[in-house]
């Protein structure tokens, strides 16, 4: 994050009124067989900061990264695993050693210990990862969660930086410059690049893990990264990003990181990503960057279609690499995901924190006081998507903005996620465009969650195929996911 707290408009102001306009009218949706051009690479979460505190909990690894059901004692509930396959590992910026006898990290008075991520490169005196300049045992919890996630099926790993190591910075403070401006002198660009590529190389050699991508910046053009800040952060304007990216590319090549791409630039909004992208692509060769990463803190506004067009014309992948909000019902989350899939058409969608306070997490907890409680309704809302639209599946189109279909063509399973923000009404899904549809009377599996939390990923039966259609009454403020077996395009 993100100075997003203050920017986020209350969710009710945003209720996205969809497709067929009149409130009482039943909704008829044609599921088309048009494949979205982009491959779906899955769902994810960032590990900083929650995994620094809770990373050694295997139950949390099960809950977040497997599809198993796990009893969660802090909430006295059994949670359906989210099965996230993507994670973002944060390369820390902090260490508490003294360099050359006198030089020490300057920490903001306002940064809690829980948000100070330990960095591996202690002093810059040697680039050799086996020298005493590097300490590979720091940050054990975040690394444990990453490796436990991999053991449970996670397959896509991003190494991201909130700030370069403190000793590379002009004011030795990994929260930012006093005025929110540049804090990394150009003479240290190479060290930032060496730091990140060395971690990725070390992970490959020693942890059995290949980072899919490296992201050297976080919300870089924003000016809220200041020396009195509450987290790690570093401002880079677009021209500085464009200078650093080729240096990072060279250091990655020097270490043979041929299976790792560069992602840029994780700006706070679609608008800022679009603004910076022009400068980055003009100043560097596109080949340096393999993916556009954007945060989605405009929630239900912002130039999604323009950013999709920019990524397509540059031949780049595109992730919504960070989104979070404090709406515990999950209504805003669902609306954002659906609008993203329809208009931004990202390859992947990444939530910010698995655990956080003030309803920002999927599960409530406090990283400062090390306490955990129950899952939010938002958790179950994400499960409605992440357990069913799996990495590698093909997203399809539909005629409604609140109906997202996807298909697994190898096992002939069609998934439909539908949201009803109106009064209870009948949704009819017309499947007649498909070449193979199950016979009349075939049962359809489904699961539903409502914003009131009365149904939390509850299975529902009684839905059947009839005349190449499914008709189902969906209650108000409910998300319902269907799996229909035996469907072919
Ligand atoms: C430590 O001293 C070396 C040798 O003089 C110098 O190159 C380096 O920049 C110093 N490091 C810091 C963080 O001041
Ligand atoms: C390396 O980090 C670990 C974990 O923080 C710490 O216990 C150890 O003392 C560090 N080693 C050195 C040589 O600084
Ligand atoms: C599609 O289904 C097959 C068989 O169940 C499964 O092995 C495969 O992983 C699924 N593909 C995706 C992308 O989920
Ligand atoms: C999906 O269908 C709608 C019309 O129902 C159309 O406006 C939109 O462009 C289509 N999107 C894609 C990605 O094909
Ligand atoms: C097909 O694979 C998907 C995952 O892609 C899974 O959710 C679904 O249950 C599978 N269908 C069958 C009939 O096994």
């Amino acid at each position: 994050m993100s100075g997003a707290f203050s920017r986020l408009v209350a969710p009710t102001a945003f209720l996205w009124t969809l497709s067929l306009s009149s409130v009482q009218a039943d909704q008829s949706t044609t599921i088309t067989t048009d494949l979205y051009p982009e491959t779906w690479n899955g769902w994810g979460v960032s590990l900083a900061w929650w995994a620094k505190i809770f990373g050694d909990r295997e139950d949390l690894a099960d809950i977040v990264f497997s599809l198993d059901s796990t009893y969660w004692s802090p909430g006295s509930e059994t949670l359906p695993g989210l099965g996230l396959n993507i994670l973002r590992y944060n390369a820390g910026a902090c260490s508490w050693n003294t360099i050359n006898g006198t030089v020490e990290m300057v920490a903001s008075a306002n940064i809690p210990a829980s948000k100070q991520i330990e960095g591996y490169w202690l002093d810059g005196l040697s680039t050799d990862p086996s020298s005493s300049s590097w300490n590979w045992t720091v940050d054990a919890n975040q690394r444990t969660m990453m490796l436990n996630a991999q053991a449970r099926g996670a397959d896509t790993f991003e190494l991201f930086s909130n700030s370069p190591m403190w000793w590379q910075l002009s004011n030795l403070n990994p929260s930012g410059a006093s005025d929110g401006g540049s804090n990394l002198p150009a003479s240290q660009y190479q060290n930032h690049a060496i730091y990140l590529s060395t971690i990725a190389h070390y992970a490959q050699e020693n942890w059995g893990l290949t980072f899919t991508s490296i992201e050297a910046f976080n919300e870089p053009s924003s000016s809220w990264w200041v020396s009195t800040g509450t987290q790690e952060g570093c401002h880079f304007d677009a021209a500085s990003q464009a200078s650093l990216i080729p240096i990072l590319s060279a250091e990655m090549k020097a270490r043979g990181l041929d299976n790792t791409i560069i992602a840029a630039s994780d700006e706070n909004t679609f608008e800022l990503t679009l603004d910076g992208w022009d400068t980055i692509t003009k100043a560097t060769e596109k080949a340096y960057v393999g993916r556009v990463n954007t945060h989605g803190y405009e929630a239900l506004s912002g130039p999604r279609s323009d950013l999709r067009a920019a990524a397509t014309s540059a031949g780049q992948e595109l992730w919504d690499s960070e989104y979070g909000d404090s709406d515990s019902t999950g209504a805003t989350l669902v609306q954002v995901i659906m609008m993203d899939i329809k208009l931004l058409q990202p390859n992947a969608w990444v939530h910010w924190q698995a655990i956080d306070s003030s309803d920002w997490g999927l599960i409530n907890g406090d990283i400062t006081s090390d306490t955990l409680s129950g899952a939010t309704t938002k958790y179950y809302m994400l499960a409605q998507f992440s357990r069913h639209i799996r990495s590698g599946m093909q997203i399809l189109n539909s005629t409604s903005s609140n109906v997202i279909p996807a298909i697994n063509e190898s096992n002939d399973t069609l998934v439909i996620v539908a949201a009803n923000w109106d009064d209870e009404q009948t949704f009819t899904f017309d499947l007649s465009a498909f070449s193979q549809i199950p016979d009349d009377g075939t049962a359809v599996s489904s699961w539903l969650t409502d914003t009131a939390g009365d149904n939390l990923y509850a299975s529902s039966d009684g839905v059947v195929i009839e005349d190449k259609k499914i008709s189902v009454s969906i209650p108000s403020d409910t998300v319902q996911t269907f799996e229909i077996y035996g469907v072919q395009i």
Side-chain angles (χ1 to χ4, degrees):
M1 222 180 38
S2 27
F5 278 90
S6 56
R7 304 164 59 97
L8 199 81
V9 180
T12 45
F14 270 138
L15 278 189
W16 190 25
T17 316
L18 303 154
S19 55
L20 303 187
S21 46
S22 101
V23 171
Q24 296 299 337
D26 290 342
Q27 185 166 145
S28 176
T29 302
T30 300
I31 310 298
T32 71
T33 51
D34 303 337
L35 302 179
Y36 271 35
E38 300 301 318
T39 308
W40 186 249
N41 295 141
W43 307 87
V45 72
S46 293
L47 295 189
W49 307 289
W50 65 278
K52 168 175 174 155
I53 310 300
F54 303 114
D56 56 349
R57 286 191 67 125
E58 299 228 355
D59 55 351
L60 273 176
D62 290 338
I63 286 167
V64 176
F65 297 106
S66 87
L67 289 170
D68 299 342
S69 291
T70 301
Y71 181 70
W72 174 241
S73 56
S76 306
E77 60 201 327
T78 297
L79 296 178
L82 293 175
L84 306 186
N85 67 300
I86 297 175
L87 64 82
R88 302 183 73 227
Y89 175 88
N90 180 215
C94 293
S95 71
W96 289 266
N97 52 299
T98 302
I99 305 177
N100 295 341
T102 53
V103 186
E104 289 182 342
M105 178 171 73
V106 175
S108 161
N110 303 314
I111 187 170
S114 51
K115 294 182 179 175
Q116 294 182 297
I117 305 293
E118 294 172 285
Y120 294 101
W121 199 5
L122 304 179
D123 57 21
L125 297 178
S126 169
T127 59
D128 176 357
S130 63
S131 74
S132 60
S133 275
W134 299 75
N135 183 347
W136 293 103
T137 63
V138 304
D139 197 27
N141 275 3
Q142 210 196 158
R143 206 168 47 252
T144 299
M145 182 56 77
M146 176 164 67
L147 296 174
N148 281 340
Q150 183 180 38
R152 284 155 180 78
D155 56 6
T156 303
F157 307 92
E158 177 158 273
L159 178 65
F160 82 102
S161 168
N162 284 324
S163 163
M165 283 301 305
W166 64 270
W167 49 263
Q168 298 174 15
L169 302 166
S170 301
N171 65 357
L172 310 177
N173 182 330
S175 289
S178 58
D179 62 355
S182 299
N183 201 19
L184 187 72
S187 58
Q188 291 289 341
Y189 285 7
Q190 189 177 9
N191 274 342
H192 187 38
I194 288 172
Y195 178 50
L196 296 176
S197 357
T198 300
I199 296 172
H201 186 242
Y202 192 90
Q204 227 164 265
E205 304 279 300
N206 298 280
W207 304 338
L209 183 140
T210 298
F211 281 104
T212 312
S213 49
I214 297 180
E215 164 55 289
F217 316 109
N218 175 54
E219 302 186 351
S221 74
S222 299
S223 50
W224 49 61
W225 307 121
V226 292
S227 52
T228 52
T230 57
Q231 59 192 76
E232 294 179 0
C234 191
H235 173 86
F236 293 89
D237 62 22
S240 306
Q241 296 168 42
S243 312
L244 202 151
I245 286 168
I247 298 172
L248 175 59
S249 178
E251 293 299 334
M252 288 165 64
K253 283 202 177 74
R255 287 166 184 76
L257 297 173
D258 299 333
N259 297 316
T260 307
I261 59 170
I262 295 175
S265 286
D266 276 276
E267 296 286 7
N268 180 255
T269 60
F270 307 123
E271 180 84 57
L272 288 170
T273 300
L274 204 51
D275 292 350
W277 183 244
D278 260 1
T279 310
I280 290 167
T281 48
K282 272 177 202 139
T284 66
E285 286 167 43
K286 285 172 196 160
Y288 287 126
V289 176
R291 188 201 311 129
V292 184
N293 270 16
T294 187
H295 297 183
Y297 287 104
E298 285 137 318
L300 295 172
S301 58
R304 282 176 170 82
S305 301
D306 294 344
L307 186 53
R308 163 39 53 207
T312 301
S313 78
Q316 299 283 317
E317 289 177 19
L318 173 61
W319 279 11
D320 188 336
S321 52
E322 190 184 310
Y323 175 76
D325 64 43
S326 60
D327 173 8
S328 67
T329 70
T332 313
L333 175 108
V334 170
Q335 290 162 21
V336 163
I337 288 174
M338 288 193 165
M339 195 180 266
D340 278 351
I341 289 179
K342 292 288 179 183
L343 302 179
L344 186 67
Q345 297 165 24
N347 300 88
W349 198 93
V350 183
H351 191 261
W352 175 224
Q353 296 289 290
I355 293 176
D356 205 350
S357 52
S358 310
D359 290 322
W360 271 74
L362 301 169
I363 295 174
N364 277 311
D366 189 331
I367 56 169
T368 313
S369 61
D370 200 348
T371 51
L372 288 167
S373 47
T376 61
T377 305
K378 174 161 60 180
Y379 175 97
Y380 295 90
M381 288 291 188
L382 183 56
Q384 294 280 151
F385 294 88
S386 67
R387 290 177 57 84
H388 300 278
I389 302 180
R390 305 289 300 158
S391 171
M393 281 176 64
Q394 190 64 55
I395 309 261
L396 300 172
N397 204 1
S398 78
T399 53
S400 300
S401 48
N402 52 351
V403 175
I404 308 284
I407 193 162
N408 179 344
E409 290 188 82
S410 3
N411 73 359
D412 297 342
T413 297
L414 176 68
V415 171
I416 298 173
V417 186
N420 181 18
W421 306 117
D422 287 331
D423 291 347
E424 174 153 9
Q425 60 179 322
T426 299
F427 279 60
T428 300
F429 306 112
D430 180 346
L431 308 181
S432 58
F434 291 84
S435 69
Q436 186 185 303
I437 306 154
D439 295 338
D440 283 2
T442 304
V444 170
S445 305
S446 88
W447 298 262
L448 60 97
T449 300
D450 55 61
T451 59
D454 294 333
N455 290 292
L456 295 170
Y457 196 69
S459 19
S460 164
D461 49 25
V463 182
V464 293
I465 303 276
E466 198 156 342
D467 194 20
K468 304 183 177 179
K469 291 188 178 71
I470 297 167
S471 277
V472 54
S473 181
I474 303 185
S476 177
D477 295 329
T478 297
V479 174
Q480 191 157 355
T481 301
F482 305 86
E483 283 197 2
I484 305 124
Y485 310 124
V487 177
Q488 279 178 15
I489 290 181

